Amino acid sequence: RELGVPEHVMCMEWLGKSEYLGLGFKARYSILYAPEEKMTDLEVPTEGNVAMHSVGKEMLVSATSNVGVFLKSNGNPANRGIISFPEIPIIFSHLDDYLISILSNGTVLVTSLLEHKNVQMFESMRDPVFIAPGQHQVVVGSGDEIHVLKFAPIERQVSDMLSSGFVAAAERLFQKSNPSEKKRRDFHWNAGWALISKLRFDESFHHLTLSREDPRKVLKLFPELKIGNLIMTMGDEKLKTRNKGIHSILAKSEKPKEDLSEARMQLSRYLWQYRQHRTGRYLSLATAPLKKEYTKLKDSDQLEAAMKIKEQIEALVSEEKEKLRAIDTALLVLFVGFTHKLKNKSSPPPQDEKDIMDKLPFATLADLLLPSNECALEECAEYLQKGVDEPQELDYACLYQSKKKYKVALEVWRDLYEGARIEEGEDGVQPAIELLEKLNVTSDLDPPNLLWEHASWILKAKPREGMRIFTSTERKPPLDSNEVLAFLRNFKTTKGTDVDLVGIFLEHISSNTDNQRYHDMYAHRLHSHYLSVVESKAPVMVIQNARIKLRKYLQTGSSFDMQRMLELISKSSLYDEMIVLYSRLGLHRSVLQTYVYELRDYNAAEKYCIDKGVVRRTAENEGMPTRAELLNVLLRVYLKYGEDRPADNHSRVGFHHLLAHCTEYLDPVETLKLLPDDMPLDEITPYLETVMRTSVSSKRNKQIVSKLVRAERFQTQVQLLEVKRKSFTIDTKTECAVCRKKIGDSYFSAHPPDDCLFPGRMLPGSSRKWTIVHKGCSRKYAKLRGTGRGVGDVLHVR
């Protein structure tokens, strides 16, 4: 359709694929929204030529001062900003990331839309009139000739983009060439180095990872990570411009110290990722076909060729090992360089230092070193001692531990405890315990007596925690119990220590074996330990804990000699423990005698009888005493108190308390048989009165229950008779009250009289007449009569 415009149009251009049309007049620009024919003037100052061109969703227009301005559809400036030209172009066009312009003198200008600068200029042509962009070329036409401008080779363009730092655009262009896997890796390698030169370390190491190149090539950029005879520090060293390496790149940085820290951080993450995910997989992929070929040649007796293949495999393994040696060594230096000033601070670190710790690929050096690593031992050990401000003693010991040099590691930890070495906040005890509790004495330790040598200072430092060396279940095979017991018996603990080392070990053995010898030793040890703390006048809490532990084992232990232990404890007047053993041995009379004679606690004696006795003997509890039997035993103890011990008032009180409070459990006949004939009547009168009342009450209750049962039985029999008497006699002439047909031998229902309140209780044989209908007519009859009776009120008979 036709669109009206106010004046002659010098140029026009659609804004991408939208419905906005850009119009250029003699001295101004406008945006026309085609559907509504709405025109908006643009505030772009112009002089001389006007030109416009659509670049994506934006419009490039020429303006004063020889610049091109990018605008949005609403007329506002776009994010691209402006582009400067030698003079105002008369024609615009673009191809990919390049803008092609023709100046008034016929010069063709190529401008990078990425860098916003002119990158190429061609000789002028006479009277240029148009530009036609193609797939990889541009056609420029003039009055009498046509020129074709082609892109430079992709490799050259990619190289130029990388050198300028436009890696994302370079990658997009590179992907259009359908590159091989090797070219992809080369591109990522070159992109990584290009980004490093631009100090964009996070992106750079991402591309270096994708390149799958040998990390040792990257490590050459960091000469301070090479440790050997000369130890290079990673603390607060002064940054100087180097002829090569990362420092020459950082020379142009505004914040060289922060950028170096970021570079090292990203390097550590890159190396750790390579170590975790690439090394093993790369080696297996590289050696798998060689191993297959080696097996094939060996089976076919081509031994000479097979040996050459084997040498190739060994060379690959050796090369990978050397690669890991460099990676692990660099990771150790990087980690210690970051953390050696942070880990010994007593106060919480500031936020920036905390952020560094959070970004590190592993939290502790043990995550790198254990269980194994390929660090250069001598070089790393020297670095940990001299490469930072203070020797890193724990890391030094951990390094030797990872190399299975346990003797050196244990000596370092011992020196930390004794003060020969110093590291703030560390005494070396805990890592020594964690190592010794796992090692096999015969195969891991050389010489084997290292365990006994270092166990001494560990037990002096932390006796209770140190016993994990001997009680650990992780060691296979376990230590010889007799050897451990001999060592612990000869070991002298620090004065004032109340830890029973032998008892701890015997407790461990008794919980893991059924050997009666060790259980007896543990029980005796608990008893002797209790006596020793009592004799030494230890604090009350210590004495109580020792006795509670003894009593608990006597209650739960099953493999020690109870009789022998009872003889030992009976000499110490430990009555509660004696009661435990008497009870477990079934000596109930001895238990009750102890309660009565020694503890004088008749309440506890009665409670014991009730708790231990059963109400009545059954097949399930055969062999267990009843409550009445135990209470009778207690009664005998009271009655014979004067025979075994001098009579006193306590036995009389217990005797009367038993008769007064345990009447419900006692058998009156058996109890009276036990009472002596010369006992005064007034002493047992309360008991006899209670027994008589209980007996009479019990008899009356039984009589009431018997009468109630008889009445219930009578009611049941009456109900049974009522049910049995519900019968009807019909003959061949009996008709249905609804359909008037003969009942015959069909099912029928009997409906009670309408005025009967309880038809269920009415006997069919009564004088009141029941209505007989077919069963199929029953509901109809009830509906006609309007009785509303439920189904339960009607008798259905076959």
Side-chain angles (χ1 to χ4, degrees), residues 389-521:
D389 299 337
E390 298 176 355
Q392 305 298 297
E393 303 294 359
L394 277 185
D395 294 339
Y396 179 76
C398 186
L399 174 65
Y400 276 94
Q401 177 188 353
S402 68
K403 299 295 184 180
K404 300 188 183 303
K405 306 289 184 181
Y406 301 126
K407 182 177 180 180
V408 177
L410 289 167
E411 288 174 352
V412 172
W413 290 324
R414 180 176 60 188
D415 291 345
L416 280 172
Y417 167 69
E418 295 176 350
R421 297 174 185 263
I422 298 175
E423 183 168 342
E424 184 181 351
E426 301 292 346
D427 59 5
V429 178
Q430 193 62 33
I433 294 173
E434 293 175 357
L435 174 63
L436 290 177
E437 70 179 342
K438 301 175 183 177
L439 293 182
N440 187 327
V441 176
T442 56
S443 61
D444 294 336
L445 293 179
D446 185 23
N449 64 350
L450 278 178
L451 184 142
W452 312 107
E453 176 185 346
H454 290 278
S456 299
W457 66 266
I458 293 173
L459 291 176
K460 287 180 181 179
K462 296 182 179 180
R464 192 174 297 279
E465 292 86 347
M467 282 302 297
R468 284 163 43 199
I469 299 173
F470 306 109
T471 60
S472 171
T473 57
E474 297 183 32
R475 182 187 290 109
K476 303 295 181 184
L479 296 172
D480 182 77
S481 300
N482 295 327
E483 194 173 358
V484 175
L485 285 172
F487 170 79
L488 294 176
R489 287 193 179 103
N490 296 326
F491 177 76
K492 295 182 179 180
T493 57
T494 306
K495 188 175 181 180
T497 303
D498 59 346
V499 180
D500 182 16
L501 303 181
V502 176
I504 293 174
F505 182 70
L506 287 173
E507 181 182 9
H508 164 70
I509 300 177
S510 63
S511 62
N512 291 278
T513 183
D514 294 330
N515 192 325
Q516 183 179 340
R517 174 172 171 266
Y518 294 114
H519 283 267
D520 288 341
M521 291 173 64

Side-chain angles (χ1 to χ4, degrees), residues 251-287:
K252 57 185 178 182
S253 172
E254 297 179 356
K255 300 183 292 183
K257 200 169 183 180
E258 290 79 357
D259 287 337
L260 178 60
S261 177
E262 178 64 20
R264 289 171 174 169
M265 178 65 67
Q266 296 301 331
L267 174 65
S268 66
R269 296 171 71 88
Y270 161 69
L271 294 176
W272 180 256
Q273 184 178 5
Y274 188 95
R275 183 184 191 268
Q276 294 295 98
H277 303 291
R278 285 281 303 137
T279 51
R281 184 174 60 180
Y282 169 79
L283 186 61
S284 61
L285 291 175
T287 58

Side-chain angles (χ1 to χ4, degrees), residues 147 192 265 367 409 461 475 502 530 535 542 557 568 591 608 677 742 762:
H147 297 267
M265 178 65 67
D367 296 334
R475 182 187 290 109
V502 176
Y530 168 74
E535 183 179 355
V542 175
L568 183 65
V591 172
Y608 176 85
D677 297 337
K742 305 293 185 183
M762 179 179 172

Side-chain angles (χ1 to χ4, degrees), residues 181 251 257 271 346 348 431 500 580 605 743:
E181 183 63 25
K257 200 169 183 180
L271 294 176
S346 57
D500 182 16
V580 171
I743 294 296

Side-chain angles (χ1 to χ4, degrees), residues 500-555:
D500 182 16
L501 303 181
V502 176
I504 293 174
F505 182 70
L506 287 173
E507 181 182 9
H508 164 70
I509 300 177
S510 63
S511 62
N512 291 278
T513 183
D514 294 330
N515 192 325
Q516 183 179 340
R517 174 172 171 266
Y518 294 114
H519 283 267
D520 288 341
M521 291 173 64
Y522 180 50
H524 293 176
R525 185 70 186 186
L526 291 174
H527 178 251
S528 61
H529 177 66
Y530 168 74
L531 296 180
S532 65
V533 296
V534 171
E535 183 179 355
S536 62
K537 297 182 179 179
V540 176
M541 184 62 68
V542 175
I543 297 175
Q544 289 179 350
N545 290 338
R547 186 166 185 180
I548 290 172
K549 196 169 186 179
L550 170 62
R551 187 184 309 138
K552 183 177 179 180
Y553 181 73
L554 295 178
Q555 290 172 341

Side-chain angles (χ1 to χ4, degrees), residues 709-722:
V709 169
R710 290 180 61 187
E712 184 179 7
R713 186 185 303 115
F714 178 75
Q715 291 178 356
T716 303
Q717 291 175 348
V718 170
Q719 292 177 0
L720 178 61
L721 291 174
E722 289 180 354

